[in-house]
Structure formats: C-alpha cells, structure tokens
Amino acid sequence: MPPAWDDLRDDTPRDDWNLQVPQFGEQVREWSDILDGVYWRSSEDGRGDPGGYDTSDMQRLRGLIMVQAAETEAVLGRILCKLDTQASPGKMMAGVLLKKIWEKLSDPNKITWQSHVCQIRKAQKRRNHVVHNRVDTGYGWVEYATGDGGEWIPFITTMGDELCDGRELSHDLALQQSSTVLAIEILHGLSCSNHDRADRCPDWWE
Ligand SMILES: [Zn+2]
C-alpha cells in the first residue's frame, strides 16, 4: 500500500527545523536556469542557453505588492467585522471579503464608498496578476560586429501577457498603498461621519 495523503503531513515543530541557507542566495532563480544547471544540455550551435538576467528588483517589487495587499486585507477584515459582528473574515479570500463588505453596506454607504470599493477592487486585480504570473525574460542572439561569435541579450521581460518593468511594478505598488489608505478611510468613515481634526475620534479602528 502506498502512503496516504495524510501520511505526508510534517508537523515537526519549528524549533526542530534545521535552518537552511537558500542555495541560490536571496534571489528568485528562474526554473529554466535551474534546469539548465541541473540537467546540462549540449547546444548544437555552441551558443549555449540564454539566461542569467537579474530580475531581482522586479521580484522584490512583486513581494512588496503582495505584502501591501495583505495590509489592505487586514483592514478589510476589520471593516467586515464592523458591518457584521458575526463575520469571521480570517480565512476569506480578499475578493470574497470585499464583496461581502459591499453586500453589507447600506444603500447610502454604497453611494458614499463606491469609488473607494472600486479602486480597492482594481488593486486586488493587480495584486492577483502579480501573484499568479511569472516574470519571464526573452533573449535574442546578437552577433558581435567583429564576426567571431555573439551573445544572448535580454530583450524583453514580461509577466503574464504584459510587459513588465520596474516602473509598471512600482505603479502597482502605488495602487496597493493607496488601497490600504482607502480601506482605512472606509473603516473610519463607518464609525465617524463628521470628523473634526480637533476631535480625538477614539476607538474607531476597533
Ligand atoms: Zn473621526
């Protein structure tokens, strides 16, 4: 009998883990690069395989986008609990959470917060794009002017069906940060409709 799925659980407490050092250093290594390193394939034309373009900056931005989105989610969880004390947002996907919030909003609040919810929803879509796609680099072979050989040059970096560069990812991070701000504005607005900066406005984030 082969082992069952449940036999494959590893519940070793964290203290007992042997701390490992990432074998490729603190970077993302494309699977095709790893493949080339582990199963070396001869190349018939002597050009070798293209690879090695350092996308660390973009990978870092992807990480920041995901983590900032998690900050927004934490606020959304508080909003839902404010609207529905029975709610348990802990394990909800972000999209479900936002939809639940929308359903619980009163009609006047829907009108007040529609633009906020719309922008948060857009940020969630961008976050999902970043999570569910890989950064992929396309190379082209460029002959040296001297005529003796050439080299692979990274031509294009894409993520999913979109061009990907630091500027676009930075824009996506900006969306995520705004989204957190907007979520906090909703959370505040649901408890305090007449905010005066001179007021202390206590406990609205609870
Ligand atoms: Zn207030």
Side-chain angles (χ1 to χ4, degrees):
M1 281 279 280
W5 174 247
D6 279 342
D7 296 331
L8 305 183
R9 272 178 64 157
D10 182 352
D11 295 327
T12 322
R14 196 169 172 169
D15 287 347
D16 295 346
W17 294 354
N18 286 318
L19 292 182
Q20 292 195 37
V21 176
Q23 60 177 307
F24 303 122
E26 290 194 2
Q27 59 159 321
V28 175
R29 197 77 194 278
E30 284 180 30
W31 67 267
S32 49
D33 278 2
I34 295 176
L35 180 83
D36 294 340
V38 177
Y39 299 102
W40 183 82
R41 295 170 295 169
S42 63
S43 67
E44 289 167 15
D45 55 11
R47 290 174 176 183
D49 295 305
Y53 180 59
D54 184 5
T55 55
S56 298
D57 288 352
M58 287 180 247
Q59 308 294 8
R60 179 175 162 276
L61 280 166
R62 286 178 79 196
L64 295 176
I65 287 165
M66 295 175 206
V67 173
Q68 188 65 49
E71 293 298 314
T72 307
E73 259 180 78
V75 183
L76 293 180
R78 287 180 178 234
I79 293 172
L80 183 60
C81 289
K82 195 178 274 287
L83 294 165
D84 176 7
T85 48
Q86 306 293 311
S88 47
K91 290 191 174 165
M92 279 182 203
M93 306 278 285
V96 176
L97 188 53
L98 188 61
K99 186 155 181 272
K100 277 254 185 311
I101 287 171
W102 180 251
E103 288 164 358
K104 294 279 175 193
L105 283 175
S106 66
D107 288 354
N109 271 329
K110 280 191 168 115
I111 292 163
T112 305
W113 301 112
Q114 60 176 328
S115 154
H116 280 58
V117 172
C118 186
Q119 291 179 72
I120 293 169
R121 194 172 169 186
K122 182 179 172 192
Q124 287 183 343
K125 199 170 162 224
R126 295 305 305 169
R127 175 263 182 203
N128 288 341
H129 176 77
V130 160
V131 171
H132 296 135
N133 288 286
R134 295 174 50 254
V135 172
D136 207 14
T137 305
Y139 296 84
W141 180 261
V142 177
E143 299 279 348
Y144 296 135
T146 54
D148 55 347
E151 64 182 322
W152 290 108
I153 302 287
F155 270 150
I156 190 172
T157 304
T158 54
M159 196 167 55
D161 52 2
E162 294 178 4
L163 278 177
C164 169
D165 63 31
R167 269 184 31 228
E168 284 166 51
L169 285 170
S170 190
H171 173 76
D172 277 341
L173 178 57
L175 279 184
Q176 302 307 324
Q177 292 180 355
S178 305
S179 181
T180 311
V181 173
L182 294 169
I184 289 177
E185 284 176 7
I186 297 175
L187 182 63
H188 171 263
L190 289 174
S191 329
C192 170
S193 54
N194 229 331
H195 188 80
D196 182 338
R197 282 187 178 273
D199 287 345
R200 297 264 326 255
C201 189
D203 300 339
W204 56 267
W205 58 87
E206 297 294 353

